[in-house]
Amino acid sequence: MTRKHQSNNPTGPQSPQSPPSAHRAPPGVASLFNTLTRKVEAVVPREPGIVRMYTCGPTVYRFVHIGNLRTYLMADWIKRAIEADGRTTVRMVQNITDVGHMRQDAVDRGEDKMIAAALAEGKTPAEIAAYYTAEFMNDVSNMGIRPAAVYPRATDHVPQMIALIERLMKRGHAYESGGNVYFDVTTFPAYGRLSGNREGDALREGVRVEADPLKRHPQDFALWKAAEPGRMVKWESPWGPGFPGWHIECSAMAIAHLGEELDLHTGGMDNIFPHHEDEIAQSEAATGKPFARHWVHAQHLLADGAKMAKSTGNAYTLSDLVARGFSPYDFRYLCLTVHYRHRLNFTFASLRAARLGLDRLRGRVWQLTCDAENVTERSASRSKSAAMRRWQTRFWQAVRTDLGLPAALAITWRMLGDRDLSRGEQLALIDEWDTMLGLDLLPTARAWRDDSTLPDEVRNLAQRRVVARERKSFAEADTLREQIRASGYAVCDTRSGPRLRPLLADDALVGAISAPDQTPSRLAEPDVAEFSVLLYSTFWPDDLRRCIESLLRAAADVSLEIVVVDAGVNDQGLAWLRERALDGSRIRVLRADHVLGEAEARNVAIRQSRGRYCILMDTSVEVVGDIWQPLREALRQPRVVLAGPYGLVTHDLRQFEESEGPDVDAIEGYLMAFPREAVRRVGLMDARYRFYRNLDLDYSFTLRQKGVIDAATDPDRAVVVPLPVVRHEHRMWESLGEEERAKRSKRNFDIFLRKWHHHTHLMTSPGTPTPAHNPPESADGE
């Protein structure tokens, strides 16, 4: 067995807890939804100053999956919320179930997971348990989950389990049958109050195996099971050799380490029945005392809308996320965005969004530390401002109201935009609040600011850039910034000079685009490249890769930037894109959080272009030679504003035919080039074109029309230029049925015809136009 990541803190639960923040939360009491009472209630411990908390841990026959980790994160955040003001300590106990519960025939069918795992891997159950326990500790450490006070192992507490069973038998709540011991549910009238599962027939739904004829009642559950012949793991007991049932373990370990009355018990929704229901029954029947005052449960985590299961391949582990290039803290951030009592639908798209959010938050905190050196220390010594106190109240009120972490995270972002706060106050609040969020924001920022780790060549570039800025040679400074970026570092100019940090995973991605018309425009900036190739990628990453690689091969000595607007690259494609984008400054990726309309996406790329000439290209096109010189020469001709290898002409503005030109009415959108300066004159594409077809006609006419000053002035020219390119299958077109093709094409052509039907002067060979009110079903041009 191998793992794909290693812990930064391999000692696991023995590692020291994070040092307390210099800024504590204001006094307050956390409230949580109590599954037992169905109400949000304050967590008030029996003993002031200490909360006794038990959380159900892993069965260590495999790696824990991310659904388990979400539940463990909930427990971690509950512990942090209660301890935030420094007045209360949480003594948390989390069990390790390292013993199987099934009989030998179930083992033979692979149902006893502990023993089946041992048999499959050629190890003893103890070896399997030790290995996966260590991996569990590794995972929780990497997730930033603070260690529990104790991690009791079930195999170390079998005597306590036997003693608890004996107490139940003496009090008349349990009976022996065939070497097995069962809890008699009929002796505990309160059974079912946690789950609401009180009817006899419904109780049967909770048993984990088929009905047992040795039971008095079908709903009774096993406390001890007799060992059948050939069983590997068993213990001696007053009822003969056997092994404990599932539920008795937690009661025995909780009582052993926290006493007979707990303040708080946590777990997942799937633990409510039968596990936690049975814990309450057997514990309270044995002691005569309330077992736990407060029961808190995390909702299910779904994967792509479905329940996680090994058989479906969606039971993701932390290693699976790390192998795909994510950090454990990316998943922690994702869990912060969804309330613990709501289902979390995990997708890699949502995880990418979480990573971007965490990167931005860490980057913002890093920038604050750069701009406010030593401000935090000074602000700590003076009283808090009114604005700071207001933000503090909002944050902790959200946290203490049923662990409202999504609201607290939103408050964190809003606080960072509050101009009434000084940078020092913002950092002080981040320092305080991160003791709750657990994102290591300030430690990460301070580690990034350690210039001693910078490579010499990067430090030299940064020093040269300072000199260039002092000379006001801003073009040279921008070039040096790009070289620093190509070396894997981002630079931030501060009052104290430039600060550098490693590029984050999504630094090469400008950010998730939700409103395309709000994308910043760089059209007014000076040219930084000769050509900007503008691509839009949705669902076919292989086409995108083929297109980009062909461009890079053909542009070894060309001043080129490639701007990719991405709305659908899969994980494999994204990893490749990120690698290429970070490997130099020729590729920039702008990620959309939804599929954009064709014109919207193209406009985003045009706004971000910085080349003298823009080339709109479809990813179905592969470049196999020098396209640059022919395009360069064509666009330098008088009044030429548009060039490309595929031209179209029309005689009536209704039917368009391919033409070798050289002068044509329109250039097809597979590859159309135009000066960036022309965009500043004519504007962007018409955003009404959500489908690609006929958008090229519209923009060709737009570019050419702006050259018309009066009736005697000829329009600007569009010319065909033979280019060494190959057109492959157009995936979008081929993915649609005939009816859908016709519908989308007609919709776009209607827009085109209503807009341009009077502009016959734009045709190179005009004929007699037909009435505009009756457009055809489709157009030949694309």
Side-chain angles (χ1 to χ4, degrees):
M1 291 177 292
T2 59
R3 281 292 262 180
K4 302 181 181 69
H5 67 285
Q6 296 297 323
S7 171
N8 295 325
N9 188 0
T11 56
Q14 287 73 39
S15 62
Q17 296 191 12
S18 302
S21 166
H23 306 275
R24 290 202 180 277
V29 177
S31 62
L32 296 165
F33 184 83
N34 190 344
T35 308
L36 190 64
T37 62
R38 278 63 165 176
K39 294 188 296 185
V40 175
E41 298 176 335
V43 178
V44 180
R46 290 186 304 108
E47 179 183 345
I50 182 167
V51 169
R52 291 172 170 82
M53 173 178 167
Y54 186 90
T55 188
C56 285
T59 300
V60 285
Y61 66 88
R62 64 180 180 187
F63 301 120
V64 296
H65 56 63
I66 58 175
N68 304 135
L69 288 172
R70 187 198 186 195
T71 300
Y72 305 153
L73 278 169
M74 179 195 70
D76 178 58
W77 281 317
I78 289 174
K79 183 174 184 289
R80 289 169 183 261
I82 294 172
E83 293 183 333
D85 63 3
R87 301 185 305 168
T88 304
T89 299
V90 176
R91 176 173 172 78
M92 189 175 90
V93 174
Q94 185 171 27
N95 68 293
I96 302 292
T97 295
D98 57 348
V99 58
H101 306 290
M102 298 293 183
R103 299 193 179 280
Q104 189 60 41
D105 59 348
V107 172
D108 295 338
R109 297 193 303 269
E111 295 176 17
D112 190 305
K113 305 301 184 182
M114 283 297 307
I115 300 178
L119 293 173
E121 299 188 26
K123 298 178 180 294
T124 66
E127 290 172 332
I128 288 291
Y131 176 81
Y132 286 109
T133 297
E135 291 302 323
F136 159 72
M137 299 298 187
N138 185 39
D139 280 352
V140 296
S141 175
N142 285 334
M143 286 290 300
I145 294 175
R146 292 179 178 175
V150 184
Y151 288 95
R153 289 164 170 78
T155 52
D156 294 335
H157 292 76
V158 175
Q160 290 92 330
M161 298 174 203
I162 292 173
L164 189 59
I165 294 170
E166 289 180 315
R167 289 176 69 181
L168 287 167
M169 294 186 74
K170 289 178 182 178
R171 295 173 69 98
H173 293 288
Y175 59 92
E176 186 270 339
S177 177
N180 305 288
V181 182
Y182 299 96
F183 184 88
D184 188 341
V185 171
T186 63
T187 67
F188 191 74
Y191 191 86
R193 63 178 176 171
L194 180 70
S195 64
N197 197 357
R198 292 179 176 273
E199 299 298 326
D201 289 342
L203 292 179
R204 296 183 188 180
E205 299 173 5
V207 299
R208 302 181 76 182
V209 293
E210 62 188 22
D212 186 345
L214 298 177
K215 293 180 180 181
R216 292 177 182 172
H217 316 99
Q219 61 268 35
D220 294 348
F221 57 89
L223 301 170
W224 187 262
K225 299 180 182 181
E228 64 282 8
R231 182 172 183 84
M232 297 173 63
V233 180
K234 56 188 175 183
W235 290 263
E236 291 298 327
S237 78
W239 317 284
F243 55 99
W246 177 30
H247 315 296
I248 195 67
E249 297 175 11
C250 284
S251 291
M253 288 185 279
I255 291 171
H257 294 278
L258 295 172
E260 295 180 346
E261 295 181 75
L262 316 181
D263 297 305
L264 186 58
H265 197 312
T266 72
M269 290 291 291
D270 54 340
N271 292 140
I272 294 176
F273 186 83
H275 185 48
H276 288 170
E277 195 74 75
D278 292 355
E279 274 193 72
I280 291 173
Q282 64 201 13
S283 301
E284 296 186 1
T287 66
K289 302 173 183 177
F291 180 47
R293 292 185 173 193
H294 223 113
W295 292 83
V296 184
H297 295 92
Q299 254 292 1
H300 296 294
L301 182 146
L302 305 178
D304 295 310
K307 184 178 179 181
M308 286 194 300
K310 187 176 180 181
S311 59
T312 58
N314 67 351
Y316 300 116
T317 66
L318 197 59
S319 280
D320 293 328
L321 308 191
V322 172
R324 290 172 180 248
F326 296 99
S327 158
Y329 278 78
D330 297 334
F331 181 67
R332 186 180 183 103
Y333 188 96
L334 175 62
C335 291
L336 277 170
T337 66
V338 179
H339 192 268
Y340 77 93
R341 287 201 287 127
H342 296 166
R343 286 187 175 183
L344 192 164
N345 184 28
F346 172 86
T347 65
F348 283 101
S350 66
L351 188 59
R352 283 194 296 270
R355 175 176 56 191
L356 182 61
L358 179 58
D359 281 354
R360 287 173 171 168
L361 185 56
R362 285 176 166 173
R364 182 76 179 93
V365 172
W366 169 74
Q367 191 162 5
L368 281 176
T369 64
C370 292
D371 291 345
E373 295 178 7
N374 301 319
V375 171
T376 302
E377 288 76 8
R378 292 199 300 271
S379 66
S381 63
R382 64 177 191 263
S383 61
K384 297 181 177 69
S385 69
M388 188 176 179
R389 289 195 299 272
R390 284 195 299 271
W391 282 112
Q392 194 179 40
T393 299
R394 292 173 192 166
F395 180 89
W396 289 109
Q397 184 177 23
V399 167
R400 289 168 174 158
T401 305
D402 197 20
L403 205 64
L405 295 176
L409 186 60
I411 289 167
T412 302
W413 278 108
R414 290 199 295 271
M415 179 275 292
L416 289 172
D418 186 353
R419 295 183 179 181
D420 290 337
L421 293 171
S422 70
R423 290 177 176 84
E425 288 172 330
Q426 288 174 323
L427 285 172
L429 288 172
I430 286 293
D431 189 24
E432 173 186 303
W433 297 356
D434 201 30
T435 61
M436 180 65 225
L437 303 176
L439 296 174
D440 281 353
L441 297 173
L442 274 174
T444 300
R446 288 165 180 156
W448 286 344
R449 291 183 59 208
D450 183 2
D451 291 346
S452 65
T453 62
L454 289 175
D456 291 339
E457 61 271 20
V458 174
R459 188 180 292 107
N460 181 51
L461 288 171
Q463 292 169 351
R464 288 170 54 195
R465 184 172 174 275
V466 170
V467 174
R469 286 172 57 84
E470 290 173 349
R471 296 199 313 263
K472 299 189 183 302
S473 299
F474 297 117
E476 179 185 356
D478 287 345
T479 299
L480 289 166
R481 178 193 287 273
E482 294 297 338
Q483 292 178 14
I484 292 170
R485 185 183 183 84
S487 300
Y489 288 84
V491 61
C492 176
D493 295 310
T494 73
R495 293 170 298 180
S496 304
R499 297 292 183 185
L500 277 70
R501 62 164 170 77
L503 285 178
L504 302 175
D506 280 325
D507 270 331
L509 312 180
V510 172
I513 301 165
S514 295
D517 58 346
Q518 296 178 10
T519 305
S521 176
R522 309 185 78 163
L523 290 172
E525 297 181 14
D527 300 336
V528 299
E530 185 176 17
F531 291 97
S532 291
V533 177
L534 313 178
L535 305 174
Y536 179 37
S537 173
T538 51
F539 306 114
W540 296 278
D542 291 342
D543 290 5
L544 177 67
R545 181 170 184 166
R546 180 187 60 216
C547 180
I548 290 178
E549 289 182 338
S550 74
L551 285 164
L552 295 176
R553 284 194 302 268
D557 300 319
V558 176
S559 175
L560 169 72
E561 69 163 3
I562 300 173
V563 180
V564 181
V565 177
D566 164 51
V569 172
N570 62 13
D571 299 311
Q572 182 179 1
L574 180 64
W576 176 85
L577 249 187
R578 186 187 303 115
E579 180 182 347
R580 295 311 302 258
L582 293 177
D583 187 21
S585 58
R586 304 186 95 185
I587 302 176
R588 288 186 294 131
V589 184
L590 299 94
R591 305 226 36 234
D593 60 10
H594 62 288
V595 177
L596 304 177
E598 186 76 16
E600 288 181 325
R602 296 296 187 182
N603 286 341
V604 167
I606 293 171
R607 281 193 183 95
Q608 283 285 308
S609 63
R610 296 178 298 171
R612 181 179 180 184
Y613 301 114
C614 293
I615 303 176
L616 289 179
M617 186 181 296
D618 191 87
T619 56
S620 64
V621 173
E622 180 181 5
V623 177
V624 294
D626 180 14
I627 65 171
W628 321 107
Q629 185 60 23
L631 289 174
R632 188 184 293 125
E633 292 177 353
L635 293 172
R636 287 174 179 170
Q637 295 179 38
R639 300 188 67 84
V640 172
V641 294
L642 192 58
Y646 310 113
L648 297 169
V649 294
T650 180
H651 301 288
D652 60 4
L653 291 178
R654 283 158 176 76
Q655 297 294 327
F656 283 76
E657 300 174 350
E658 293 181 359
S659 172
E660 296 181 358
D663 280 84
V664 291
D665 297 329
I667 296 296
E668 290 193 75
Y670 293 109
L671 193 159
M672 57 191 305
F674 48 87
R676 187 166 68 114
E677 184 274 333
V679 180
R680 292 194 283 264
R681 290 189 293 108
V682 308
L684 299 167
M685 291 183 158
D686 188 334
R688 291 178 296 173
Y689 288 88
R690 295 198 56 79
F691 188 47
Y692 77 96
R693 198 168 173 88
N694 301 318
L695 171 62
D696 47 9
L697 301 182
D698 184 278
Y699 204 55
S700 293
F701 276 38
T702 299
L703 287 165
R704 295 178 59 226
Q705 162 68 10
K706 289 299 181 179
V708 178
I709 299 173
D710 52 45
T713 306
D714 292 332
D716 283 340
R717 299 167 59 202
V719 298
V720 171
V721 183
L723 296 176
V725 296
V726 176
R727 259 169 58 180
H728 295 278
E729 178 184 56
H730 195 283
R731 301 296 188 92
M732 174 63 77
W733 184 253
E734 296 300 327
S735 69
L736 301 175
E738 290 293 337
E739 182 178 351
E740 186 66 19
R741 290 177 182 177
K743 182 175 70 174
R744 296 191 185 192
S745 296
K746 182 180 184 302
R747 182 186 301 128
N748 277 9
F749 196 78
D750 285 345
I751 296 172
F752 170 80
L753 201 56
R754 284 193 297 269
K755 184 175 179 181
W756 296 104
H757 71 278
H758 289 308
H759 294 263
T760 56
H761 60 284
L762 293 176
M763 298 187 294
T764 55
S765 302
T768 303
T770 55
H773 65 275
N774 187 28
E777 287 299 309
S778 63
D780 290 336
E782 294 183 5

